[in-house]
Amino acid sequence: MTRVAIAGATGGLGRTIMEAIVARKKHNVFALSRKQTGVFHEQPEVTVLAVNYSSPEDIAAILKINAIDTIVSCLPLHTEEDNQAQLNLIEGAAQSTTVTRFVPSEFGINYLEVIKANFPFPATEYKVAAVNKLRDISGIQYTRFLSGMFMDYYGPPQAPTRMNTMTIVIDHENHKAVVPGDGNIPVVLTHTTDVARFVAASLDLKEWPEASFIRGDKLTLNELVAIAESIQGCKYDISYDKITDLKAGKNTELPINATRYEFLPKEVMDRISQISGQAIANGWMDLNGPLLNDRFPELKPMSVKDFFERYAFN
């Protein structure tokens, strides 16, 4: 039985992954938090461990006392302070002598390839720094979960998710789509609940590959919009944002996002749309590699069609 600790367990993805691990009823589950929290008071299966992310020595002591052997990091990586917290967590894991497996906070595109192309994707240098540090530590296996974009961001407001509220590419309520580039580049989309289930299942593997690819669905954005139109029985108003415009800081706004500026400012949403749009149009969301789907055929992830039929039009 694995003793697994999730860093960032109170965040959207971390909480989703933690719940998937708990649901398997195979492992002892711990949540690493900067302070004690009552978030998990209704989940007695989860033990909260307060850690000081500024001290690798303190982290090591907590991990060793609790005999933690696996860490799944879902720490946000927005700032240098965030980056240092994850590097300290890795160092603490190395010092603990009990940790033998580590999942760095990735869950997206292949940042090792992105950095070679000097593409300005947020947090790339922080993601790569974690991998470089893990490579230098003997005795700890690691794997990067590469799952493309979260399908959650392509659904309507009523679709359940723990992720921050923002809609990308398609606005079901207003029958509007904004497609970066020509819409013919394939993208991999995976719902966070499916990412979580594959992460949880991977805890049963004896050996981890350096990269673990997860695929919910793979299609072009033109195909995605066509699925929405077919299910809803109407045409969408489609705009195409040129890559040159996205690079220049210009993007077309989805009407539904204008209602959410109180929670996520317009300039933040615009920047996310511009960067993610460039990444899609340049093919960074088209991931190819040995799929965890093939190792766990019993796990059937949602396709875009499944997602839209289940939530988008109910």
Side-chain angles (χ1 to χ4, degrees):
M1 180 177 286
T2 295
R3 295 176 68 82
V4 56
I6 297 91
T10 59
L13 181 62
R15 186 89 179 265
T16 304
I17 289 175
M18 185 201 68
E19 290 172 346
I21 296 173
V22 168
R24 289 179 73 84
K25 299 180 179 180
K26 288 186 173 184
H27 310 292
N28 294 317
V29 184
F30 299 80
L32 301 183
S33 175
R34 286 181 169 83
K35 58 183 179 180
Q36 284 295 333
T37 174
V39 171
F40 309 109
H41 70 279
E42 294 183 355
Q43 294 175 294
E45 310 93 339
V46 179
T47 301
V48 178
L49 302 177
V51 295
N52 176 9
Y53 281 114
S54 65
S55 172
E57 293 76 20
D58 288 355
I59 294 170
I62 292 293
L63 297 176
K64 186 171 184 177
I65 290 171
N66 291 277
I68 304 300
D69 57 71
T70 302
I71 293 176
V72 178
S73 175
C74 299
L75 291 173
L77 296 176
H78 304 309
T79 67
E80 180 55 42
E81 182 180 0
D82 296 337
N83 175 47
Q84 193 59 53
Q86 177 161 255
L87 295 178
N88 289 343
L89 180 60
I90 295 171
E91 180 61 30
Q95 293 181 19
S96 73
T97 71
T98 60
V99 175
T100 58
R101 300 191 297 181
F102 195 105
V103 176
S105 183
E106 292 218 6
F107 310 101
I109 62 179
N110 193 339
Y111 292 94
L112 296 184
E113 295 300 319
V114 169
I115 200 167
K116 293 177 185 177
N118 200 31
F119 182 76
F121 206 84
T124 295
E125 61 185 292
Y126 301 153
K127 309 276 189 178
V128 174
V131 174
N132 288 338
K133 187 169 182 64
L134 286 164
R135 283 174 170 172
D136 290 338
I137 298 174
S138 61
I140 295 184
Q141 288 189 70
Y142 72 90
T143 192
R144 301 178 296 126
F145 287 101
L146 307 180
S147 51
M149 296 190 75
F150 292 140
M151 194 181 293
D152 308 46
Y153 295 125
Y154 289 75
Q158 64 267 29
T161 181
R162 291 190 181 278
M163 305 306 290
N164 289 333
T165 302
M166 178 179 175
T167 296
I168 295 176
V169 174
I170 191 162
D171 178 347
H172 300 286
E173 291 193 347
N174 296 288
H175 304 154
K176 171 75 176 176
V178 176
V179 176
D182 62 11
N184 292 322
I185 302 297
V187 297
V188 170
L189 301 176
T190 311
H191 198 274
T192 52
T193 55
D194 288 324
V195 173
R197 291 194 302 143
F198 280 104
V199 172
S202 294
L203 296 179
D204 296 341
L205 297 176
K206 292 183 178 180
E207 299 292 331
W208 279 356
E210 185 272 335
S212 296
F213 292 85
I214 303 170
R215 181 186 297 170
D217 203 348
K218 182 174 179 175
L219 73 175
T220 69
L221 294 184
N222 285 332
E223 291 170 336
L224 180 144
V225 175
I227 290 171
E229 291 177 331
S230 175
I231 293 173
Q232 194 157 7
C234 68
K235 285 301 215 181
Y236 278 40
D237 176 17
I238 307 173
S239 301
Y240 289 88
D241 280 351
K242 297 178 180 178
I243 298 179
T244 52
D245 287 340
L246 294 172
K247 287 182 178 179
K250 302 174 184 177
N251 63 284
T252 304
E253 180 183 63
L254 286 173
I256 193 171
N257 283 332
T259 65
R260 300 165 173 167
Y261 292 154
E262 179 182 353
F263 308 101
L264 200 62
K266 173 176 167 51
E267 58 270 19
V268 175
M269 284 198 187
D270 285 346
R271 188 58 179 159
I272 292 172
S273 296
Q274 292 153 16
I275 294 295
S276 64
Q278 292 177 65
I280 291 170
N282 283 302
W284 293 115
M285 301 298 178
D286 180 12
L287 301 175
N288 295 287
L291 291 172
L292 277 181
N293 304 54
D294 297 330
R295 301 195 70 172
F296 299 104
E298 72 278 10
L299 299 181
K300 306 294 184 184
M302 273 194 296
S303 66
V304 165
K305 185 173 184 291
D306 294 335
F307 185 44
F308 287 176
E309 286 181 337
R310 188 175 305 179
Y311 299 116
F313 311 115
N314 293 330

